[in-house]
Amino acid sequence: MDFRSLITTTDKLSKTAADALLVVVAGDPKKQVLDAPLKTALLDAIAAGDLTLKPGRTLYLHRPAGIKSARVVFAAAADESAKAFRSAVGAGLGELKPKGVKHVAVIAAGTAEAAHAEALVAAATDATYVYRHTKPSAPTAPALQTVTLLAGKAAGKSVQAGLARGEAIAAGVTLARECANRPGNHCTPSFLAAEAKKLARLPRIKVEVLERKDCDKLGMGSFLAVAQGSDEPPKFIVLRYDGDAKASAPVVLVGKGITFDTGGISIKPAGEMDEMKFDMGGAASVLGSFQALARLQPRLNVVGLIPTCENMPSGRAVKPGDVVTSMSGQTIEVLNTDAEGRLILCDALTYAERFKPSAVVDIATLTGACVIALGHHRTGLFSADDSLAQGLLAAGDAGLDPAWRMPLDDEYEEALKSNFADMGNVGGRAGGAITAAMFLKKFTAKYRWAHLDIAGTAWKSGAAKGSTGRPVPLLTHFLLSQVR
Ligand code: BES
Ligand code: MN
Ligand code: ZN
């Protein structure tokens, strides 16, 4: 899809040449910045009761008088925010999708800013994404080819920058969704390694893939304990984006890459177990963020670490009560083999030390408890570093991919005590998302660290089952904010 911005004046809006005009209406309809034909159409429709200005509502008009475009859709927005704009554009495009429209021109009746431009790209990409890889019978992607954002003179440059940022993020989100939606028999650790190698063709990106024997030499006993129950070879993927001088300390992203989580010997119940193919959502978001970096080319160094394997039960699988030695030297009693995410992440967090990072952020579909705590709208954010936490929260707000900070008080650590190792890998049901984060914290003493629990936000269940590509927008905004 092609996104453009067009500087125009109010009096020319009705003369815009496009297959459809999408007019987002926020606030008092009488005060909308529209020329006479569009204003008349809008006010008439409201007066006739054909359009109610409630968020989500739309009205489709065919060949309204005095308007060049054959189709007009009015879409009501809750307010002038980028978030409300994104929802309204989504609703409006939903109206146009079945009509085979190729070129839509969007009017943000208020002032369109960079954030609105970015939101427009997100909404249009989302409205047209179709998963096809293992479903060739899926409906073909909508015809939409070109989206033009009509902006006033004042907004011109920032709107262009917003579109560019939006397109980079959308490419990253799409890559993450495409990887995560693939079933476990397609998206294996080897597949993720191959995807990482594809990214390494892009400017400034390099990749190295460590095999089981390499991880063994490094002492990654915790990661390999999870991997040992599967016939799929584990991979430890190391991505680099070198956008700044060598001496500049990188941000390290660590993504959980469990390509299927059966729970292992502590096996999960059968219901909805298929959704555990999404347990590599953290890894997918790291790949997606690198895709975005390749497009935006910021002056920054970034390292991406992806420990990836399957969590399977077998005659060789790790058992409850087994004690493993992590790369950090700390021993772990594996009380529940289903708490495998932290076992693969802890060795990656230790590996991260060698990069002398400015910050480390891990991203993981880590706990069902986080879904209970926060539901599906906000990602759980854990960090003992206030400035890092604020930076990530702000990035989530800016990318319309919000997070919520959770506590990490020392008292929570007690739940991880073990009689047979330096720690157990589970801390009971109470505060499960927090005790999981406390476990990871024990491996992060050497740098500024934050943890994102995306168990509730990385995918949707039910009729719209599928990956969301989150938190690529949050991560990309955060990385851009780290440019000195
Ligand atoms: N991948 C799951 C977390 C998960 C579960 C995410 C359901 C989304 C929906 C993780 O590996 C896991 O199984 N966690 C356990 C931890 C428990 C054994 C302490 C959980 O949340 O039940
Ligand atoms: Mn698990
Ligand atoms: Zn898992």
Side-chain angles (χ1 to χ4, degrees):
M1 221 181 320
D2 192 18
F3 293 92
R4 299 174 188 169
S5 68
L6 184 69
I7 310 290
T8 185
T9 49
T10 309
D11 60 302
K12 294 207 185 89
L13 289 174
S14 292
K15 298 182 191 96
T16 307
D19 297 329
L21 273 183
L22 170 51
V23 185
V24 174
V25 184
D28 185 350
K30 291 195 194 85
K31 290 191 190 143
Q32 299 296 305
V33 186
L34 295 171
D35 58 354
L38 278 165
K39 189 74 144 280
T40 307
L42 174 64
L43 296 180
D44 279 2
I46 293 169
D50 285 25
L51 175 65
T52 316
L53 292 184
K54 277 197 189 131
R57 297 287 183 90
T58 58
L59 176 69
Y60 174 78
L61 301 174
H62 193 71
R63 296 202 184 283
I67 295 165
K68 184 165 184 185
S69 163
R71 305 168 190 86
V72 173
V73 173
F74 292 111
D79 52 49
E80 291 194 348
S81 68
K83 183 180 169 186
F85 184 69
R86 184 180 64 178
S87 309
V89 170
L93 290 177
E95 195 74 57
L96 289 169
K97 227 187 337 193
K99 300 187 170 70
V101 165
K102 286 193 187 132
H103 178 198
V104 177
V106 180
I107 303 175
T111 44
E113 285 165 18
H116 296 78
E118 193 180 319
L120 171 65
V121 180
T125 314
D126 193 43
T128 51
Y129 175 78
V130 183
Y131 174 78
R132 302 190 61 90
H133 187 71
T134 52
K135 189 180 177 183
S137 64
T140 48
L144 190 59
Q145 282 168 3
T146 310
V147 179
T148 304
L149 180 57
L150 301 177
K153 239 191 197 130
K157 253 211 169 133
S158 71
V159 161
Q160 199 52 52
L163 288 178
R165 195 165 60 225
E167 286 187 276
I169 291 170
V173 165
T174 303
L175 174 65
R177 293 177 81 173
E178 207 45 40
C179 288
N181 282 335
R182 298 211 180 178
N185 62 329
H186 288 246
C187 177
T188 59
S190 304
F191 170 82
L192 289 180
E195 285 298 305
K197 282 179 182 162
K198 271 198 223 161
L199 283 172
R201 293 184 207 145
L202 300 172
R204 289 173 163 169
I205 295 183
K206 294 193 189 78
V207 68
E208 183 189 359
V209 178
L210 307 185
E211 305 294 331
R212 191 197 306 263
K213 60 178 191 313
D214 307 313
C215 299
D216 198 40
K217 268 187 212 140
L218 286 161
M220 294 184 172
S222 188
F223 170 43
L224 292 182
V226 177
Q228 76 191 32
S230 166
D231 289 344
E232 282 293 336
K235 306 279 170 183
F236 189 96
I237 303 167
V238 183
L239 282 154
R240 299 199 59 130
Y241 167 78
D242 297 319
D244 197 4
K246 265 215 168 90
S248 156
V251 175
V252 178
L253 303 179
V254 180
K256 172 180 172 182
I258 295 290
T259 58
F260 196 79
D261 182 11
T262 64
I265 297 298
S266 315
I267 199 161
K268 288 181 180 293
E272 279 143 46
M273 203 208 271
D274 65 291
E275 296 190 8
M276 284 299 119
K277 72 173 185 177
F278 296 119
D279 211 16
M280 34 58 73
S285 75
V286 173
L287 295 176
S289 299
F290 271 74
Q291 173 75 261
L293 285 170
R295 297 230 179 173
L296 293 167
Q297 295 286 307
R299 210 172 130 183
L300 179 76
N301 291 332
V302 184
V303 173
L305 301 178
I306 299 176
T308 172
C309 65
E310 282 182 336
N311 186 22
M312 298 289 281
S314 85
R316 276 193 304 276
V318 69
K319 304 174 293 298
D322 284 2
V323 173
V324 302
T325 304
S326 68
M327 187 178 170
S328 72
Q330 299 176 93
T331 58
I332 303 162
E333 186 183 10
V334 182
L335 289 164
N336 188 324
T337 66
D338 198 11
E340 85 298 339
R342 61 197 81 179
L343 295 176
I344 72 167
L345 290 170
C346 69
D347 283 342
L349 290 169
T350 301
Y351 188 84
E353 289 173 3
R354 68 186 54 205
F355 300 101
K356 299 193 169 48
S358 64
V360 177
V361 180
D362 77 71
I363 310 102
T365 49
L366 202 63
T367 65
C370 191
V371 189
I372 302 302
L374 294 175
H376 298 287
H377 298 297
R378 283 185 187 260
T379 292
L381 162 66
F382 301 79
S383 182
D385 187 302
D386 289 340
S387 71
L388 182 56
Q390 286 313 318
L392 287 160
L393 286 173
D397 289 342
L400 303 182
D401 181 10
W404 191 258
R405 192 171 180 187
M406 301 276 282
L408 275 179
D409 302 275
D410 291 337
E411 286 82 351
Y412 289 105
E413 199 183 316
E414 212 167 277
L416 296 170
K417 282 202 169 128
S418 158
N419 288 348
F420 304 104
D422 293 330
M423 69 195 85
N425 77 327
V426 291
R429 271 167 57 81
I434 307 166
T435 52
M438 289 306 287
F439 177 96
L440 296 177
K441 185 167 176 278
K442 288 171 174 291
F443 299 85
T444 63
K446 302 230 164 82
Y447 45 69
R448 293 167 78 216
W449 162 77
H451 157 59
L452 295 169
D453 193 331
I454 57 167
T457 51
W459 77 88
K460 287 181 181 156
S461 307
K465 192 190 288 182
S467 165
T468 60
R470 290 179 69 180
V472 170
L474 181 157
L475 292 171
T476 308
H477 274 270
F478 174 70
L479 292 173
L480 292 177
S481 78
Q482 296 308 104
V483 175
R484 290 171 303 150

